[in-house]
Amino acid sequence: MLNIEITFAMKLKFTLLSALFSFVSLAQIQHSVSVTGGFAYTGSGDMWGTAVEGAYSYYFGDWSVTGQIGRADFFRSGSGAVAEPGLGVVDFVPAERFTAYRTADLLAGYTVPFAENRLHLIVRGGASLARIGTYYIDPVWQNNDYDVLDLGAVGEIGLGFTIISSGTATIDINIKAQGRHYFNTDDGYVRPSIGITCRLYN
């Protein structure tokens, strides 16, 4: 009889511990996908444009690894001094100017949840590979187009606010600020953005 009671107590303890670990695991974020978009500014070209990005993150506790792809497009009429990769300012070309970025980033991040996990502060940084093209439409004097593949660095900080929570998933509205710089072209852009994030828990 005593053995039966001990066995029952051990099974009950094991069941309770399993339930506790299951509950804890539900509270751990594992994945997230997000889409953001906003206005961007490129300092070397003094141009405003638009930027959109899609990202996937995998979490290790509060740390994460994120892969994201994006695009940013800038357009300005009446371009002034022109900077080319490796040459600096080379000419004055009155023309309509179009600059396009196609980016792929690999970032490490850290998340700080607060306000009963309804708010999330996220800081990320890492490397970026970008296809950067600048084109001049009907230049008056000379054509200084270029199209290069360049390596750079990117950093961002964001804040997510949970608006929908259901089971093991949440939907967040996120606001982000980001800056990026590319080494060969000595170019890059900054952008604020707003988007939506889906967080998945195990």
Side-chain angles (χ1 to χ4, degrees):
M1 187 70 178
L2 182 59
N3 288 338
I4 295 175
E5 289 177 355
I6 292 174
T7 303
F8 177 77
M10 291 179 64
K11 286 184 177 179
L12 180 60
K13 185 183 292 186
F14 179 77
T15 302
L16 290 174
L17 285 174
S18 297
L20 178 61
F21 284 127
S22 297
F23 176 79
V24 170
S25 67
L26 287 175
Q28 297 298 312
I29 184 171
Q30 292 295 303
H31 314 268
S32 72
V33 291
S34 65
V35 177
T36 59
F39 292 102
Y41 177 77
T42 174
S44 62
D46 297 327
M47 295 187 293
W48 285 95
T50 57
V52 294
E53 289 173 347
Y56 167 80
S57 298
Y58 186 83
Y59 291 81
F60 306 89
D62 292 331
W63 294 91
S64 63
V65 175
T66 298
Q68 65 183 11
I69 56 174
R71 64 177 291 167
D73 298 303
F74 302 89
F75 182 83
R76 189 177 77 174
S77 180
S79 184
V82 173
E84 286 190 345
L87 297 177
V89 176
V90 295
D91 207 341
F92 183 86
V93 184
E96 294 180 332
R97 178 179 178 178
F98 175 73
T99 299
Y101 293 79
R102 303 295 179 260
T103 60
D105 309 328
L106 182 62
L107 310 176
Y110 187 76
T111 303
V112 181
F114 55 98
E116 297 180 350
N117 283 335
R118 292 190 64 82
L119 287 173
H120 307 271
L121 178 66
I122 305 169
V123 179
R124 294 189 179 117
S128 176
L129 187 65
R131 191 81 187 182
I132 306 171
T134 292
Y135 311 98
Y136 297 91
I137 304 170
D138 298 325
V140 174
W141 292 317
Q142 76 179 67
N143 189 340
N144 290 282
D145 293 350
Y146 66 83
D147 190 336
V148 297
L149 189 64
D150 202 356
L151 182 66
V154 56
E156 68 178 33
I157 184 169
L159 184 66
F161 177 72
T162 300
I163 56 173
I164 299 174
S165 181
S166 176
T168 59
T170 65
I171 302 295
D172 298 349
I173 293 294
N174 62 67
I175 300 173
K176 295 181 181 179
Q178 182 191 89
R180 57 179 68 228
H181 180 80
Y182 295 95
F183 305 122
N184 185 48
T185 57
D186 193 26
D187 209 347
Y189 60 87
V190 295
R191 66 117 177 97
S193 65
I194 189 169
I196 189 166
T197 300
C198 178
R199 299 176 181 275
L200 304 174
Y201 297 80
N202 66 357

